[in-house]
Amino acid sequence: MPGLADTRLKALVLGLSVLLGWIIPGPVAAQSRRDILLDIVSNCVEPKAANYCSLCRAPRSDSACAATPECRSSTEVWAMSERYTAIRDIKMCGCPAGFVHGLALPRQPVRGVEDPARPEGIWQFAWDTAVTRIEAESIALVVNPRRQRSQDQLHVHLLRLRKDARARLTEHVAGYVRQLDQVWTSAARAAAAKGLDDYGVLVMQRPQEDFMVVITADSPEAPFTEWRCDP
């Protein structure tokens, strides 16, 4: 049987675990969860919803839930429609002015690049949001492969291209589209031709005013975009 010292030690560890669970903010404590973005889309973008402040893990920065919301524990909505929303990515927190990293998401559950229900309209929504914050010629819209993402809610990253990205992306071009609602079809066709069952997608505009669709076996985010800053 365990001795008194063992019993007291277990009680102390349990007490500390409960205390830390209360002290550590929800978004930090749940970083390993793969449904954080779905939770935010479901509970944090409509501040007038019933029980908003109790249901939302990261209340909108313009809501009445917190007098002085901190960047890492709040949601900043950039744009919203009936089907989609765009928010600030947490990677912007602490970064210099001018750095941009946003996310465009469907407001209904959609897992990611592999989901048959992935909506065509999300690319146009993402682009329309991005052009309000980034010069059109520098915009990169990115979706990561299934195996290289941390969240299972489809999210399009709104980013700036690296200065040398266009020259290095030519070998990965899947096709060119005039309309952004053709991106998924173009990417899927090219992936099938290359025998890829999982892939990342990057979209950027060409001077000809059409769009270049790129697919990569690995995430195109780090090699081709300014996806994080060094504050």
Side-chain angles (χ1 to χ4, degrees):
M1 295 180 64
L4 180 60
D6 289 337
T7 301
R8 287 177 174 172
L9 178 60
K10 289 180 180 178
L12 177 60
V13 171
L14 178 61
L16 285 173
S17 298
V18 173
L19 180 61
L20 287 172
W22 281 102
I23 292 174
I24 298 174
V28 176
Q31 284 303 310
S32 61
R33 288 179 52 181
R34 299 182 65 86
D35 65 346
I36 294 174
L37 286 181
L38 177 59
D39 189 19
I40 288 174
V41 168
S42 302
N43 296 310
C44 295
V45 298
E46 288 284 9
K48 294 182 180 180
N51 302 316
Y52 175 81
C53 292
S54 59
L55 291 175
C56 174
R57 68 169 60 242
R60 284 181 56 153
S61 53
D62 57 353
S63 73
C65 298
T68 55
E70 295 186 359
C71 180
R72 292 185 178 276
S73 58
S74 64
T75 299
E76 182 178 289
V77 175
W78 291 356
M80 190 158 63
S81 70
E82 184 177 348
R83 298 190 63 188
Y84 310 109
T85 189
I87 62 175
R88 173 200 58 207
D89 190 285
I90 196 171
K91 296 182 189 71
M92 284 188 65
C93 295
C95 287
F99 175 76
V100 178
H101 191 151
L103 303 174
L105 310 98
R107 296 180 65 182
Q108 297 299 319
V110 180
R111 288 186 66 83
V113 65
E114 79 282 8
D115 197 321
R118 58 196 182 190
E120 287 92 354
I122 195 167
W123 293 102
Q124 187 64 60
F125 176 84
W127 184 268
D128 291 344
T129 304
V131 295
T132 67
R133 295 172 181 269
I134 305 172
E135 315 77 30
E137 64 273 15
S138 299
I139 292 173
L141 304 180
V142 171
V143 172
N144 286 318
R146 179 182 63 250
R147 70 181 185 280
Q148 292 182 307
R149 68 181 186 228
S150 62
Q151 294 292 300
D152 289 329
Q153 174 68 0
L154 175 65
H155 50 289
V156 179
H157 295 265
L158 283 53
L159 302 159
R160 277 193 175 90
L161 286 165
R162 288 179 179 267
K163 295 188 184 302
D164 62 344
R166 288 184 179 272
R168 295 188 294 114
L169 280 167
T170 53
E171 63 183 284
H172 303 288
V173 174
Y176 305 95
V177 298
R178 297 292 300 178
Q179 304 295 330
L180 286 167
D181 60 5
Q182 301 167 349
V183 167
W184 288 127
T185 301
S186 177
R189 185 186 302 117
K194 294 183 177 183
L196 296 175
D197 60 356
D198 188 24
Y199 52 92
V201 182
L202 184 150
V203 175
M204 61 184 179
Q205 192 174 48
R206 296 201 305 164
Q208 294 87 337
E209 296 187 357
D210 61 358
F211 296 90
M212 179 187 294
V213 180
V214 169
I215 64 166
T216 54
D218 296 315
S219 169
E221 189 176 1
F224 302 114
T225 74
E226 298 177 3
W227 67 288
R228 66 179 180 183
C229 71
D230 296 311

